[in-house]
Amino acid sequence: WPETLQELGYIKNKFFLKIFEKTIFSLYTNHKLILTQSMEYFLDIKKKFRNSNFLYNPVDKFDEEFEKPENINFLEDYRYLVYSGNIGIAQNFDLLLNAANKLKSKKLKFLLIGNGSRFNYLKNKINKNLLFNVELHKAISKKELSYVLKRADVLFISLKENKISKFIIPAKFQTYTFFGKPILCQIEGDVKKLVKQNKCGFIVKNEKLESMLEELNKIINLDNDTLAKMGTNSKAVFNKYFNNEIFLKSFKNIIDEI
């Protein structure tokens, strides 16, 4: 998407953005089938093209087997908020770390796992503010990640608010729902709608620190049964929207029609 390149600051030259825009328009115009990742994007492109459109959310397959990472330990009597994935400019980790700084005395640990352009920035900020309740780790193996996600109490998803963020369903959302965990959502669009409608997590409003603290305190204080119910709802979202069997059946029907 040209909009993505522009919003994230990768390309600012209007001439090159125009070239990308014309290229994308040509590709979309000359295809009978477009696979989309979100309803917001589906509705947007439906206004511009007459092609058949299909909502598709690819899902990583995780092994049922898991392996405990050597350098990650879960303490008893603490709840763990876990993020896994890219650590870059598209995510708003500053808000999360600012909240963590105010919750040092609470029994909540923040576990961030991944690689990206902002890794060293986060590492320095954690050290500078003495955030002993935040752990930052490089990416780990899929089996190790499976262990961590199964052990987590709540999983965190974030995208900075901009013109295109509401059209995006990050792949990690599907992964999170696969593991049936409550989700702390700091993102607009379909992800926010799914979390709210299915009561499978917590929503941070308008990228505000007060809202982040309010939701984190809910996570700290909620009883285990309520969190477990949210996790069950999260797994139901995966089974309803992201199951591969559902996609393959629908995809075959569209191909047969074409």
Side-chain angles (χ1 to χ4, degrees), residues 20-254:
F20 279 110
E21 184 179 336
K22 289 183 176 180
T23 301
I24 295 298
F25 185 87
S26 177
L27 286 171
Y28 281 14
T29 302
N30 291 287
H31 285 78
K32 295 182 179 180
L33 174 64
I34 300 174
L35 305 181
T36 70
Q37 194 186 34
S38 76
M39 180 59 72
E40 293 281 358
Y41 188 51
F42 172 83
L43 294 174
D44 183 66
I45 62 177
K46 191 176 181 181
K47 299 174 184 176
K48 304 173 184 177
F49 308 97
R50 295 182 178 180
N51 307 65
S52 297
N53 297 278
F54 179 69
L55 300 178
Y56 170 45
N57 290 275
V59 181
D60 279 336
K61 291 185 178 180
F62 280 81
D63 294 329
E64 291 300 323
E65 299 179 5
F66 58 86
E67 180 180 324
K68 184 183 182 302
E70 292 183 2
N71 59 340
I72 298 178
N73 296 299
F74 289 85
L75 302 176
E76 295 296 330
D77 299 325
Y78 278 83
R79 283 191 169 157
Y80 278 79
L81 176 73
V82 174
Y83 171 88
S84 67
N86 183 57
I87 298 178
I89 61 175
Q91 294 77 35
N92 187 353
F93 290 109
D94 284 313
L95 185 62
L96 186 70
L97 294 187
N98 290 341
N101 194 32
K102 293 182 176 294
L103 296 172
K104 290 180 181 178
S105 63
K106 304 290 186 178
K107 288 196 172 184
L108 178 66
K109 295 285 187 180
F110 301 80
L111 182 55
L112 311 178
I113 302 170
N115 299 322
S117 60
R118 300 278 280 179
F119 185 92
N120 288 332
Y121 168 81
L122 290 192
K123 182 178 179 180
N124 291 334
K125 183 165 184 175
I126 291 168
N127 292 334
K128 181 180 179 181
N129 292 282
L130 301 177
L131 299 178
F132 54 81
N133 55 342
V134 181
E135 293 184 31
L136 179 64
H137 296 272
K138 290 284 189 178
I140 55 180
S141 71
K142 188 168 285 190
K143 286 185 178 181
E144 290 174 325
L145 182 59
S146 293
Y147 173 89
V148 171
L149 295 182
K150 286 181 179 180
R151 179 61 181 78
D153 296 292
V154 179
L155 301 175
F156 178 59
I157 189 167
S158 170
L159 275 181
K160 287 183 177 178
E161 188 173 352
N162 53 48
K163 293 179 180 178
I164 52 92
S165 61
K166 69 177 182 177
F167 298 124
I168 300 173
I169 297 182
K172 69 173 58 60
F173 179 70
Q174 297 142 44
T175 302
Y176 287 178
T177 56
F178 173 84
F179 282 96
K181 294 292 181 176
I183 297 169
L184 176 63
C185 171
Q186 185 190 319
I187 180 175
E188 295 298 317
D190 283 349
V191 172
K192 178 180 176 180
K193 291 177 182 177
L194 287 170
V195 170
K196 184 176 181 179
Q197 291 171 359
N198 293 279
K199 299 180 180 179
C200 62
F202 311 85
I203 297 173
V204 179
K205 300 173 183 176
N206 302 319
E207 298 188 335
K208 298 293 185 181
L209 179 59
E210 294 80 6
S211 179
M212 174 67 81
L213 288 169
E214 181 181 351
E215 299 309 312
L216 290 173
N217 276 303
K218 287 180 185 177
I219 292 170
I220 294 168
N221 296 316
L222 275 181
D223 61 89
N224 291 332
D225 288 342
T226 301
L227 279 181
K229 175 60 177 174
M230 287 184 175
T232 300
N233 293 344
S234 181
K235 185 66 176 183
V237 170
F238 175 84
N239 291 331
K240 182 176 181 180
Y241 295 102
F242 306 130
N243 187 293
N244 271 335
E245 292 181 5
I246 296 174
F247 160 70
L248 291 174
K249 183 178 179 180
S250 300
F251 184 75
K252 182 180 182 302
N253 290 337
I254 293 176

